[in-house]
Amino acid sequence: MAEPDIHSELGLRRIVNVSGTMTDLGASIVVPQARQAIGRSLGEFFEMSDLFRHASGTIARLTGAEAGFVTSSSASGITLSVAAAMTGSDLAAIERLPDTSGLKDEVVILAGHMINFGAPVEQMIRLAGAKVVPVGHATSSYAYQLQGAIGERTAAAVYVVSHHAARTEQVSLETFSAVCRAHGVPIIVDAASEYDLRGFLAAGADVAIYSGHKFLSGPTSGIVAGRRELIKAAYLQNRGIGRAMKIGKEGIIGVMAALEAWEKRDHAAIRQRERSALDLWLEALSGKVGISARLIPDPTGNPLDRLEIHVDPELANITAWDLAARLASGDRPVMVRDMELEHGIIELDPCNLHEGDELIVAERIVEELMRAASESDPVHTPIAAFRQAQEKSIADCL
Ligand SMILES: *Cc1c(COP(=O)(O)O)cnc(C)c1O
């Protein structure tokens, strides 16, 4: 029996998501195993410390870490890991945060890693009461700069793995870990959007943080895996600032089910399905005037390809950003990946498709290209005006 459509019930638009696992769009399609587990958990009581202990075992098995804990998001995982590095298991210090009097409270981070994932990563560090010490520059960083930034007050080092991070001349995780380890500084890796659950810990991280709601397709949650002592101290923050970032029973049980499903997932079959969507789009776009498309690998090495569509505004009579805006409008909205719009590029991400969505994407793009081609005036919003309108719309909420 088909479920009644929740969008029409709430008066909301049903979108097609080809932008990726975006918080702004509800992250990912939660796997059935997690949905069932969440449903089964909601009517029950649990001794939460036992539930956390169980989760720690599952996380340890999947990541190779000594221990793990679940929090409400990767963002809070960063805050709580930083807090853990400052307070250890000192309960009085935990209750005093974000007042860090008497504690080591500086956190080093490469300047090129100070990204915004929807909020600034450095703010998640400051939220614990820590002070951010940027290393190097947006365009380059060196081991000697990291060495020079570490001092008496250094509590931790944060390393960000992300397509948003600067990609030129940056200190590698191996070098970063070696320098930090030589000074006894714990290394926290933000791997929120990465598939590799073992590699960062293996490369020297003391803590690795993953989002439960991105590739893992679980409920909104953060997984923090690492050295037992630090994980324990991060968990104890639930008696302090962690309380404001609480995850409930359903979140813990849901993300455990998603992790177990991930272990058994037929990754090859999923890639195959993604590939057939990409092929369909390539075929739909072939020969379209002003359009060239090619497959591109994920920039941080996740096993995922996307379609990069280059729009020539003169030949297509529309700019990439106007095309993206038109695709997102109307009653069959298609949300494309829009990080390279200014370079005339739209990307399509195939990892969050419902059955049949790939056809809607192909139809809508062809439809909008034909519409633009038939208009006598060029659809060329100046990029500065487009960006200003985008900025203005940030405040148009509630
Ligand atoms: C998505 C993301 C985050 C935030 O993850 P949440 O679990 O949504 O808080 C942090 N860092 C990076 C690199 C991300 O991609």
Side-chain angles (χ1 to χ4, degrees), residues 21 23 72-76 78 115 117 121 160-164 190-193 210-214 221-222:
T21 48
T23 282
S72 60
S73 60
S74 286
S76 58
I78 297 167
I115 61 165
F117 53 74
V121 72
V160 180
V161 182
S162 170
H163 60 90
H164 291 303
D190 172 5
S193 198
Y210 299 91
S211 293
H213 47 274
K214 292 188 178 172
S221 54

Side-chain angles (χ1 to χ4, degrees), residues 200-221:
F200 306 109
L201 291 167
D206 294 288
V207 171
I209 299 167
Y210 299 91
S211 293
H213 47 274
K214 292 188 178 172
F215 293 124
L216 291 168
S217 309
T220 304
S221 54

Side-chain angles (χ1 to χ4, degrees), residues 92-209:
I94 286 170
E95 283 188 12
R96 269 199 310 273
L97 288 186
D99 178 347
T100 61
S101 311
L103 303 173
K104 290 183 181 182
D105 64 355
E106 289 182 3
V107 175
V108 295
I109 179 171
L110 302 182
H113 286 190
M114 291 173 68
I115 61 165
N116 186 310
F117 53 74
V121 72
E122 52 89 15
Q123 187 178 30
M124 304 309 129
I125 299 171
R126 286 190 288 113
L127 196 51
K131 294 185 183 66
V132 174
V133 178
V135 175
H137 305 93
T139 46
S140 67
S141 60
Y142 296 97
Y144 73 83
Q145 294 168 331
L146 178 60
Q147 184 109 19
I150 293 174
E152 295 266 288
R153 301 200 54 80
T154 309
V158 169
Y159 193 93
V160 180
V161 182
S162 170
H163 60 90
H164 291 303
R167 271 176 241 156
T168 51
E169 291 183 60
Q170 297 296 328
V171 176
S172 70
L173 177 57
E174 286 71 13
T175 304
F176 191 89
S177 302
V179 172
C180 292
R181 197 158 299 284
H183 292 83
V185 173
I187 302 132
I188 298 163
V189 174
D190 172 5
S193 198
E194 302 306 301
Y195 274 65
D196 183 354
L197 296 179
R198 291 179 171 266
F200 306 109
L201 291 167
D206 294 288
V207 171
I209 299 167

